[in-house]
């Protein structure tokens, strides 16, 4: 059987393609991203990877196809999501939103067996997403989408993402989204109530599903928002278990070092109990200056996790934000993945990465479809 050429656009640290590396039939044909630092970081881990640094606005679909060796079997990608995100301004004319159309046009030109895109759930409200689905349907693809929460698939992070798949009709009967595996019966800490909640009684509260996601889930091909997997939810305490002390010799080997915080921020946070947040001002979002709970889920890791005011990123017991290695663990990076430095550029790579559990979900769906 011939090798299947896998291509990831907007690759960053190539987390979407990572699980495909274990599949004998998969051949990594091309990674493409405009970020020099992302390319340097990935090649430091995988020196021979076919990583092309190009701006997607300045490269044609045909050039991408030729760079991949003239054929693409599986096209993966997460176009920039900032213009669609609930935490942003959501301006319809944001130039970054154009990349969803670019992704659609590359797929339409290359005609892969399968196309998989990940983005924030609110992309489903956009004209760009409508263009993507209609563009591919017009040339004979079947399309499906689901809003998946990474915590329902084994992550300690409640990260909600829209997963879109388009597939040629010859693989239609085999394509379906894997059902969630986690939920269980073990009580989980709820940041909204400050109490422990039984997932069986209120899974939405346990996961912290946003109102927009609840509304948009009705438009999806499948709705897993109330689906309770058998395995217990994985907590932030489970994920950080066994980490050495930050800034120790063992911590240094893991690039596990505390960020610099001002005296003002440290004083602001030192009296905040586990699972609570500082409430001394109204100039921040609901989860800003929040401390995680060891028996709770992590909130979505963003590029702002080094900052106390950027979200609920404060360590459950230590008076500091999550380190780069801790945030990388939450995102599912293995401890042996090397980052080039301890800088905000590294934090951006970690925050922009796809949660490993969602990447594995997509991989399992693609592999099952193409092996039958």
């Amino acid at each position: 059987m011939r090798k299947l050429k896998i291509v990831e656009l907007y690759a960053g640290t190539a987390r979407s393609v990572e699980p495909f590396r274990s599949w004998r039939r998969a051949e990594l044909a091309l990674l493409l991203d405009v970020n020099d630092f992302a390319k340097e970081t990935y090649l430091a881990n995988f020196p021979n990877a076919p990583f092309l640094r190009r701006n997607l606005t300045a490269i044609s679909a045909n050039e991408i196809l030729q760079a991949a060796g003239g054929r693409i079997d599986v096209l993966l990608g997460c176009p920039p999501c900032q213009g669609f995100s609930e935490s942003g301004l959501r301006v319809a004319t944001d130039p970054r939103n154009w990349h969803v159309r670019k992704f659609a046009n590359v797929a339409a030109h290359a005609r892969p067996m399968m196309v998989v895109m990940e983005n924030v759930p609110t992309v489903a409200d956009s004209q760009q997403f409508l263009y993507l689905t209609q563009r591919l349907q017009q040339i004979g693809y079947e399309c499906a989408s689901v809003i998946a929460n990474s915590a329902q698939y084994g992550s300690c992070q409640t990260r909600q993402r829209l997963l879109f798949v388009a597939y040629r009709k010859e693989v239609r009967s085999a394509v379906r989204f894997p059902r969630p595996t986690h939920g269980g019966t073990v009580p989980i800490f709820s940041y909204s109530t400050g109490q422990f909640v039984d997932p069986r009684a209120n899974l939405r509260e346990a996961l912290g599903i946003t109102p927009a996601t609840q509304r948009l889930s009705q438009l999806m091909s499948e709705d897993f928002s109330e689906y309770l997997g058998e395995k217990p939810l994985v907590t932030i305490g489970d994920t950080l278990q066994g980490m050495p002390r930050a800034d120790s010799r063992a911590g240094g080997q893991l690039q596990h070092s505390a960020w610099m915080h001002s005296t003002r921020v440290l004083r602001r946070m030192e009296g905040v109990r586990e699972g609570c947040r500082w409430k001394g001002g109204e100039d921040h979002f609901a989860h800003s200056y929040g401390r995680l709970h060891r028996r709770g889920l992590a909130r979505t890791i963003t590029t702002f996790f080094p900052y106390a005011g950027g979200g609920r990123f404060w360590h459950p017991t230590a008076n500091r934000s999550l380190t780069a290695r801790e945030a990388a663990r939450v995102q599912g990076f293995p401890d042996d993945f090397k980052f080039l430095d301890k800088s905000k550029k590294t934090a951006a790579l970690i925050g922009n990465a796809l949660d490993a559990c969602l990447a594995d979900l997509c991989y399992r769906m693609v592999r099952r479809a193409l092996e039958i």
Side-chain angles (χ1 to χ4, degrees), residues 176-347:
R176 59 184 177 83
F177 294 99
R179 289 183 174 274
T181 53
H182 289 66
T185 60
V186 178
I188 200 85
F189 184 82
S190 167
Y191 296 107
S192 61
T193 65
Q195 305 292 325
F196 287 91
V197 60
D198 186 338
R200 294 171 299 181
N202 195 335
L203 183 61
R204 292 193 180 201
E205 182 182 328
L207 297 178
I209 297 175
T210 63
T213 300
Q214 293 178 40
R215 174 176 58 83
L216 292 169
S217 65
Q218 300 173 10
L219 307 176
M220 300 293 105
S221 305
E222 297 183 82
D223 181 8
F224 293 141
S225 60
E226 299 284 3
Y227 190 90
L228 199 68
E230 293 184 1
K231 298 179 182 179
L233 294 170
V234 177
T235 67
I236 185 72
D238 296 330
T239 299
L240 300 186
Q241 187 174 14
M243 289 287 291
R245 183 171 54 84
D247 297 308
S248 64
R249 178 177 294 181
Q253 294 174 346
L254 281 178
Q255 298 168 298
H256 173 45
S257 304
W259 304 96
M260 293 295 294
H261 300 293
S262 69
T263 302
R264 176 188 173 193
V265 167
L266 290 172
R267 287 176 178 171
R268 179 174 289 183
M269 293 300 298
E270 65 184 355
V272 176
R273 292 176 301 160
E274 185 173 1
C276 299
R277 73 180 185 91
W278 181 73
K279 298 181 180 179
E282 301 299 328
D283 59 338
H284 47 270
F285 296 113
H287 284 284
S288 296
Y289 296 100
R291 189 180 289 280
L292 293 162
H293 196 289
R294 283 168 290 181
R295 291 177 60 191
L297 298 170
R299 285 348 216 185
T300 297
I301 295 296
T302 72
T303 59
F304 300 107
F305 75 83
Y307 306 95
R312 189 177 291 276
F313 303 130
W314 213 251
H315 190 276
T317 56
N319 197 26
R320 57 171 177 76
S321 180
L322 294 176
T323 68
R325 181 55 64 188
E326 287 169 333
R329 269 201 184 185
V330 171
Q331 287 278 54
F333 284 88
D335 282 351
D336 60 1
F337 188 94
K338 296 174 291 192
F339 296 102
L340 297 183
D341 59 26
K342 196 201 93 169
S343 70
K344 299 306 190 292
K345 292 194 299 181
T346 289

Side-chain angles (χ1 to χ4, degrees), residues 20 62 66 71-72 169 203 206 215 241 293 302:
F20 286 86
N62 190 57
Q66 295 310 309
R71 190 183 85 244
I72 299 174
K169 290 184 177 179
L203 183 61
R215 174 176 58 83
Q241 187 174 14
H293 196 289
T302 72

Side-chain angles (χ1 to χ4, degrees), residues 107-120:
H109 180 79
R111 306 286 179 106
M113 295 291 291
M114 298 186 70
V115 179
V116 182
M117 186 192 79
E118 175 262 341
N119 214 290
V120 294

